[in-house]
Amino acid sequence: MKHFACGDVVSGCTAVFVGDSVEEILGLVAHHARQDHGLTDLPSELVASVRGAITTQAA
């Protein structure tokens, strides 16, 4: 399982995402960024930061 805590990239955000793959996490995070952070475009630097903060957890 993959795990991402938005607060690792965006200070103060408490959203946490769990999925089977990096791609699944990125899709969930993109939706969250639009809905909760008001981002209409995801800069490549942000995507790289998110990718770097995704961890693998035992199922």
Side-chain angles (χ1 to χ4, degrees):
M1 293 300 267
K2 301 295 183 182
H3 177 271
F4 172 72
C6 190
D8 291 345
V9 175
V10 179
S11 181
C13 186
T14 60
V16 174
F17 304 91
V18 177
D20 293 325
S21 67
V22 170
E23 291 75 21
E24 182 179 359
I25 296 290
L26 290 175
L28 294 169
V29 170
H31 178 76
H32 166 69
R34 286 190 299 273
Q35 293 298 112
D36 297 322
H37 295 295
L39 297 177
T40 56
D41 184 39
L42 300 178
S44 59
E45 297 85 12
L46 179 59
V47 175
S49 293
V50 170
R51 280 185 181 274
I54 294 173
T55 60
T56 301
Q57 295 184 335

